[in-house]
Amino acid sequence: MTINRKIVLAARPRGLPQTSDFRLEQAPLPAPGPGELLLRTEWLSLDPYMRNLMEEVGPGYADPVALGAVMVGGTVSRVLQSRHAQYKEGDLVVAGAGWQDYALSDGSGLLPAGDLAQPSLALGGLGMPGFTAYVGLLDIGAPRTGETVVVGAATGAVGAVVGQIARLKGARVVGIAGGPDKCRYAVEQLGFDACLDHRDPQLADKLAAACPDGIDVYFESVGGAVFDAVHPLLNLNARVPVCGFIAHYNDKAAPGPDRLPGWMATVLSRRIRMQGFIILDHYATRFDAFRRDMAAWVADGSIRLPEDVVPGLENAPQAFIGLLQGKNLGKLVVRVNAP
């Protein structure tokens, strides 16, 4: 407990990140000053947005990671030492400690992790990804009973929750995921009405058959071929919440022909509401309601929260690369240190 392992950004990726873009370093254990806490990471969240922050110019809502700096990331951390009046040693908090064993904090931005049997859920369905699903679907998508909701990345951290909430609201839910095993899981375990493989060359035709009444809400986090299949099926007054476009995060150049004119014509003629949102904007106004509702849904079994757990901080880079390739099932978290 005198050494802090940390994974830093070693190089800007070109396309899909490689393990050589990361570097595992060691540094002396930091000591908290007045008003500070020393946090020990127990769980680390791996999320697609991190790929954007590896670029030299970030997406605008967060600063890019500097070369040689610790990779950013949400964590569930234990207070190891405290010189802060509001926290005591042993407290479990949700923090942004990044890809490292230990971090200093002045208390800003910390949230109590709560009394969870599985604390990592505070990084998934009971944390930022679940909150993203809740706000995007309910506040922008606003599904109504009997409508059709289509969800990309249906078994990922966000998509799995989107589909289950949509079912609770009385919608018919069609998921799109990577491979038959994931699609089977979405239907048999998460309660989706149907799920299609995004790798299927007949995706567009099969999606049309699965949505005979068109699509009223499409929760967009993917882009690419999935969006191309969804686009023609959007109904009059359809709603499209946008929280990401993972299919393009590793693009080196704009792919394919310019589809913007056709898409703009569709938005206009079908009166489509397409709205991007950054979940950081909504914590002050919606997080309490989300935490109350989601806790109740999980407690009564209405919603299941699948997790994909990777052991060891040193395995975070390879796991993150796999995330960008769609290899995970559910929320991807790294078990960094035992309690």
Side-chain angles (χ1 to χ4, degrees):
M1 292 179 59
T2 61
I3 297 297
N4 180 31
R5 297 178 306 157
K6 53 185 181 178
I7 294 178
V8 304
L9 181 63
R12 304 283 179 199
R14 299 182 63 185
L16 182 70
Q18 307 297 310
T19 54
S20 58
D21 296 326
F22 305 91
R23 184 172 62 247
L24 179 63
E25 296 183 346
Q26 294 186 349
L29 191 70
E36 290 186 326
L37 313 155
L38 177 61
L39 303 177
R40 183 173 188 258
T41 304
E42 294 189 1
W43 296 93
L44 167 66
S45 176
L46 297 181
D47 299 285
Y49 78 85
M50 296 171 179
R51 173 61 184 84
N52 292 331
L53 301 185
M54 296 174 74
E55 298 291 340
E56 188 171 6
V57 178
Y61 59 84
D63 294 332
V65 179
L67 288 176
V70 176
M71 283 292 297
V72 299
T75 62
V76 171
S77 301
R78 186 80 59 178
V79 177
L80 191 63
Q81 299 175 22
S82 178
R83 300 183 67 183
H84 192 290
Q86 295 181 10
Y87 298 94
K88 64 181 185 299
E89 294 178 7
D91 285 350
L92 199 61
V93 296
V94 179
W99 297 24
Q100 57 185 339
D101 284 315
Y102 300 94
L104 293 178
S105 169
D106 63 2
S108 301
L110 298 184
L111 292 172
D115 185 18
L116 298 175
Q118 181 59 13
S120 57
L121 293 180
L123 300 173
L126 296 176
M128 183 272 290
F131 189 34
T132 299
Y134 181 92
V135 169
L137 181 68
L138 298 183
D139 294 9
I140 301 173
R144 295 182 281 270
T145 300
E147 289 191 326
T148 296
V149 175
V150 171
V151 186
T155 59
V158 175
V161 177
V162 169
Q164 292 180 87
I165 296 178
R167 287 285 290 149
L168 287 175
K169 298 302 178 181
R172 182 173 181 274
V173 180
V174 177
I176 302 175
D181 291 341
K182 288 185 177 182
C183 287
R184 190 177 306 112
Y185 185 89
V187 173
E188 296 178 0
Q189 302 298 322
L190 302 182
F192 285 50
D193 294 283
C195 188
L196 306 173
D197 185 353
H198 73 76
R199 301 167 183 156
D200 191 327
Q202 303 300 316
L203 173 63
D205 292 339
K206 290 184 178 180
L207 184 61
C211 303
D213 298 321
I215 297 170
D216 301 293
V217 179
Y218 171 51
F219 196 103
E220 174 65 293
S221 63
V222 178
V226 174
F227 180 75
D228 290 343
V230 167
H231 169 197
L233 303 176
L234 291 170
N235 287 332
L236 195 70
N237 297 312
R239 288 84 68 198
V240 183
V242 181
C243 73
F245 42 96
I246 192 172
H248 301 290
Y249 287 173
N250 298 309
D251 288 349
K252 298 178 183 178
D258 182 5
R259 298 180 176 87
L260 182 60
W263 170 236
M264 293 300 292
T266 300
V267 169
L268 176 61
S269 63
R270 298 186 198 167
R271 293 76 149 175
I272 292 170
R273 177 188 182 189
M274 187 174 193
Q275 181 177 335
F277 68 103
I278 302 299
I279 197 58
L280 299 175
D281 299 339
H282 301 273
Y283 274 86
T285 57
R286 296 288 279 141
F287 190 70
D288 287 345
F290 155 74
R291 188 159 48 181
R292 179 195 65 233
D293 291 345
M294 185 61 70
W297 291 332
V298 171
D300 68 16
S302 299
I303 286 184
R304 304 179 69 171
L305 301 176
E307 281 189 314
D308 195 333
V309 178
V310 173
L313 177 66
E314 67 278 5
N315 295 316
Q318 191 61 59
F320 177 66
I321 294 168
L323 170 70
L324 297 176
Q325 297 173 309
K327 293 183 178 180
N328 62 299
L329 176 63
K331 178 69 187 84
L332 183 60
V333 291
V334 178
R335 186 63 156 119
V336 178
N337 290 294

